[in-house]
Amino acid sequence: PPNPCVHCLQFVKKPTSDHVFPRSWYPESTPENLEKWQIPSCSKCNHEYGRLEERLFIRLASCLDNQALESLGVGSKLVRALDPLRGRDARDTSIREKKARSFLAAMHEPSHGNLTVCMTPYPSGKVISVLVCDVDRLGEKIMRGLIFIYLGQFVDSTYEVISNGLPGAYPEFDAVTLSAGERRERGPGIEVLWRRTAADPVCGMFVIRIFGHLFIRGGILPRGYEASSNV
């Protein structure tokens, strides 16, 4: 039905359905009867997030354990997506070839100056760069989506959404979220711990785990909120 877009909040007469966790990202271990998270979106936002998710998928899927429960068959999906022999026509074949060349050119030797996340127990020694801003935007999308799905609300301009896809240890943040966070999941591919505040359920803290290895931490706060020293 007519609805505001969850992302930009623009009212849309005929919104599209956007998957909170990208449909192509669900591993083969996902139960067949699982209802996948979906939210209303305008065509522009849906297209932009689709492009972002494609960039991330090509890079993340190449680093995953194809046999692990959390990422079962995801690597095989990537191989099929880049295979020129599967092209529907000459144009599709050309697009697949360009994507495959770009992907292979992006792989390089690890640099000690950059943070590295190991996504498989069998690292090859090669790494591939992922833009943290892309991971941050994915985290923001997931948080906005869960607020709409479970609370029926939109995260408007009175709130600030903070998403952090940087790898590393955040023990204090994780301890607060893990101690009282609600667990939301859609199969083994994505798991979310969500701690809501009593004063405003829209506000809260999130720990998002994708494919068992990629962590995104974030929160939704009242805009202009200033944390005191004991928070």
Side-chain angles (χ1 to χ4, degrees):
N3 235 313
C5 169
V6 169
H7 309 299
C8 69
L9 305 181
Q10 177 183 351
F11 188 82
V12 188
K13 288 184 178 180
K14 294 183 178 180
T16 61
S17 179
D18 188 8
H19 283 78
V20 174
F21 186 59
R23 184 168 51 184
S24 62
W25 290 30
Y26 282 90
E28 294 175 359
S29 50
T30 304
E32 292 184 4
N33 61 347
L34 184 73
E35 182 180 357
K36 299 175 175 64
W37 287 325
Q38 297 182 63
I39 52 177
S41 170
C42 68
S43 297
K44 180 176 181 292
C45 287
N46 202 341
H47 177 71
E48 289 179 354
Y49 271 109
R51 294 283 298 275
L52 177 145
E53 289 158 0
E54 182 184 40
R55 289 198 304 271
L56 279 175
F57 180 77
I58 289 175
R59 292 169 178 263
L60 294 176
S62 65
C63 305
L64 295 169
D65 183 350
N66 198 51
Q67 301 302 318
L69 184 68
E70 299 88 353
S71 51
L72 184 66
V74 174
S76 298
K77 287 185 181 182
L78 173 63
V79 172
R80 292 193 294 269
L82 298 182
D83 185 358
L85 297 178
R86 292 178 175 268
R88 296 182 300 273
D89 49 38
R91 182 175 180 274
D92 187 33
T93 298
S94 176
I95 290 173
R96 288 168 181 258
E97 288 176 344
K98 290 179 181 178
K99 288 180 179 178
R101 285 197 299 268
S102 175
F103 160 67
L104 292 172
M107 298 184 72
H108 57 88
E109 297 295 332
S111 167
H112 296 295
N114 294 323
L115 293 169
T116 303
V117 178
C118 185
M119 303 283 280
T120 171
Y122 313 108
S124 66
K126 297 286 187 178
V127 298
I128 188 162
S129 299
V130 176
L131 292 174
V132 175
C133 60
D134 283 353
V135 181
D136 289 348
R137 284 192 64 197
L138 178 65
E140 179 178 340
K141 173 190 176 180
I142 292 171
M143 288 186 280
R144 287 180 179 274
L146 293 184
I147 292 296
F148 177 81
I149 290 168
Y150 288 102
L151 301 181
Q153 294 183 246
F154 296 89
V155 183
D156 58 27
S157 58
T158 61
Y159 299 98
E160 182 176 3
V161 183
I162 300 171
S163 181
N164 177 22
L166 277 172
Y170 301 89
E172 294 182 2
F173 186 93
D174 291 351
V176 172
T177 309
L178 292 172
S179 63
E182 304 171 45
R183 187 168 178 262
R184 307 286 182 181
E185 63 178 347
R186 273 301 175 267
I190 178 170
E191 178 185 5
V192 181
L193 285 169
W194 175 12
R195 180 166 184 174
R196 290 184 268 180
T197 64
D200 185 346
V202 172
C203 295
M205 303 166 66
F206 296 81
V207 175
I208 303 164
R209 187 176 69 161
I210 298 174
F211 300 136
H213 292 280
L214 179 65
F215 284 85
I216 309 173
R217 295 166 175 86
I220 300 176
L221 303 172
R223 189 165 293 280
Y225 174 82
E226 293 183 6
S228 63
S229 59
N230 63 345
V231 175

